[in-house]
Amino acid sequence: MGTVHARSLDPLPMRGPELGVHADDIETPDVEQETKQEVLENKDVIVQRVHIDGLGRTKEDYLTYEIADVFRAKNLIDVMKRAHKARQNLLRLGIFRQVEVVIDTSQGVDALPNGLDVTFEVTELRRMTGSYNTMVGNNEGSMVLGLKLPNVFGQAEKLTFQFSYGTKETSYGLSFFKPQPGHFERNFAVNLYKVTGQFPWSSLRETDRGVSTEFSFPLWKTNHTLKWEGVWRELGCLARTASFAVREESGHSLKSSLSHAMVIDTRNSTILPRRGALLKINQELAGYTGGDASFLKEDFEIQFNRRLFWDSVLSTSLWGGCLLPIGDKPTCIADRFYLGGPTSVRGFSMYSIGPQSEGDYLGGEMYWAGGVHLYTPLPFRPGKGGFGDLFRTHFFLNAGNLCNLNYGDGPQAHLRKLAECIRWSYGAGIVLRLGNIARLELNYCIPMGVQRGDRICDGVQFGAGIRFL
Amino acid sequence: MTLMLSVPLTLSNFSCYSPVCIDSSHFIMSLAAEAFVSQIAEDQILLSDCASSLAVQAYLRMCNLPVQVSYRPNAEYMSPSGKVPFVHVGNQVVSELGPIVQFTKAKGHSLSDGLDDVQRAEMKAYMELVNNMLLTAELYIQWCDDNTAAEISRPRYSSPYSWPLNHILAYQKQWEVRRKMTAVGWAGKNLEQVYEDVSQCCQALSQRLGTQPYFFNKQPTELDALVFGHLFTILTTRLTSDELSEKVKSYSNLLAFCRRIEQSYFEDSQAGSSSRGYSKGPSLF
């Protein structure tokens, strides 16, 4: 029989970290065309039936949106292409462990001579999956328990719960995610969380308990997210020696904010892209829907990547943002911007640029930062095609500034303030990509334009993070 | 509590915080130190916090240290011990009367230097009595008497916050105080018993005071400041019932004592009217 197994394709990686070569990096191989009988190859065919085998709790009608396209195929190659696309769609839902496609000639009484049946053999994820991790960091150890219920109600809804019990802090998060049938990218999520953060550069401890609802949708080439967030924030001093300026910020506040984020991302990888550009614009309006904090916050991020000779990549990025308090209340330390550290302006200590009081950094209401990087493969390319490809060497030039707004001065004075006393640094280092979510950097940095009060990290600096200048 | 004593006394600034912001002008007296006493905001402050703040203010005034009182809605959270009031001197922050007394002593200001060991032990015992009886009674009435909690304490305590945080924080505070009451064995008491305890405490104080101007004769000590802070606040604060102030009013020498301290440390212009952060509307008599 003219059976074609499209199973030789690797299952697509599900969401989440994956150490190693990312799917973005492999040029997608064409569907293996391994027809046993020539007869069908160039003939017009009709897809008569599409089966999905192995469904348990998933609602079948929900999946019809994902596979409907297969019926439109006109010839065998088309069938395979569309079936492959449908398979990717099914995997993207995050509810199947694996999906195999079997294409067969139609059988039975009403079978047409050129009729095909496409069968998706799926294996659903378990009703509930759990995870257990231990984490060590920042003088704190913690145990993280995670529970995930993929496909709770049979329509690719996802319920996740994470609980972290640490030697110092306890955090949890509960989130419910629901995509619109047929438009997985158009989705809705509700989160409930408690997070505690310790910020030694500000001698500040922050505990947030919050609820947020967000709605994401694609629009032309962009992705938009609309979000409402209500957070009860509790600020406190990390130590008795905290400066009085930080002590004055202690206490409870309620932030209720509406925010909108827009992203255009044409990069081929988020961590070490070779080509493409990124534009991210984020705006947040707090206080309009209640709460104590009132401000308007604008924030953007731009990145361009260009491939040069010998596999090297030139990457330029620019960040900027400003925070405008609404009303006469000054901005809160938790809302302001921070700059510096191995993930932004290298050569400076973590968030140790700009206004400070007794060594505690208070953040600024306006900032910009820019960087030019030249990424090259490791010298002599050890481990080429394998482990070595996770590494890059880079040469960088970073610059940035952070300051507070003073309302008497007007916008031109602000721009002047941002343009003078620019902090900048240059250096070189090695970057290691960790899956497609984070990267580690070991750099030798030379900070320049250091201002009074800034804390620098002259020489070797190690950094890890998910967002990089 | 450890005190860092690195600030040269002649230049240090004392400030004491509690919850309301009265910005009196910054005053530097020849004596050198100016204290910012920080309290909670005036329409937010509760009887017990007000009493503790007044005690610290009285103490600093007795030490002849200039005080600038600043009211902050988040004073409770600014304080290193989570209790008001606290003083801010130079870059140091010290909270509650006991540590503040130690702190000023280390800076060379003490009211109890003239006492001998026996008197000092006695003073400590009476201070413990006031803290254990009067302060606990104030907390009990504020948070465990449902009437007072609903009509006065919760609305005042939650006044700086927006919905729904105001309810959460007020009930959280009430819960915390009730737990403390259980721990000290007051949870089973009823209001009458608490009034009786206050009365007994006042009787003990009244007997100890006798006809002296201050508890240890001519000179005020931190005990006088503490007793004044609590009694004066009880006498001048309106609660749902007058019973608590009536209990105190039946001891005439305590009333005279409060009046005396009010006159000598809060009414005369020794610190200048502009630095009078103390803004209690009603005065005695």
Side-chain angles (χ1 to χ4, degrees), chain A residues 244 247-248 250 252 254 292, chain B residues 72 74 77-78 162-163:
Chain A
F244 199 71
R247 203 168 275 285
E248 279 180 307
S250 304
H252 297 268
L254 192 70
D292 309 321
Chain B
R72 302 289 177 98
N74 59 344
Y77 304 100
M78 285 168 72
S162 44
W163 185 91

Side-chain angles (χ1 to χ4, degrees), chain A residues 250-317:
Chain A
S250 304
H252 297 268
S253 68
L254 192 70
K255 179 181 94 169
S256 166
S257 70
L258 292 169
S259 62
H260 166 247
M262 189 203 72
V263 183
I264 308 178
D265 192 353
T266 60
R267 297 174 303 169
N268 65 327
S269 155
T270 51
I271 297 303
L272 283 171
R274 292 211 181 100
R275 57 172 188 273
L278 167 78
L279 171 65
K280 225 186 226 178
I281 297 175
N282 208 336
Q283 42 218 339
E284 184 176 6
L285 176 66
Y288 192 69
T289 46
D292 309 321
S294 302
F295 60 82
L296 178 68
K297 196 174 181 177
E298 295 281 343
D299 196 11
F300 73 88
E301 188 178 339
I302 306 174
Q303 192 186 79
F304 290 105
N305 298 289
R306 211 188 146 79
R307 200 174 206 156
L308 300 177
F309 47 88
W310 302 323
D311 242 358
S312 55
V313 176
L314 182 72
S315 169
T316 47
S317 37

Side-chain angles (χ1 to χ4, degrees), chain B residues 152-197:
Chain B
I152 298 175
S153 309
R154 282 202 304 264
R156 284 180 80 93
Y157 187 82
S158 62
S159 60
Y161 305 105
S162 44
W163 185 91
L165 198 54
N166 51 1
H167 295 292
I168 299 174
L169 291 176
Y171 279 102
Q172 189 175 297
K173 179 74 186 179
Q174 184 169 15
W175 173 249
E176 193 184 297
V177 172
R178 287 189 173 181
R179 252 195 355 208
K180 190 183 162 187
M181 290 298 142
T182 312
V184 297
W186 279 50
K189 289 192 181 181
N190 61 28
L191 213 48
E192 285 312 311
Q193 286 169 304
V194 171
Y195 288 140
E196 194 44 47
D197 283 345

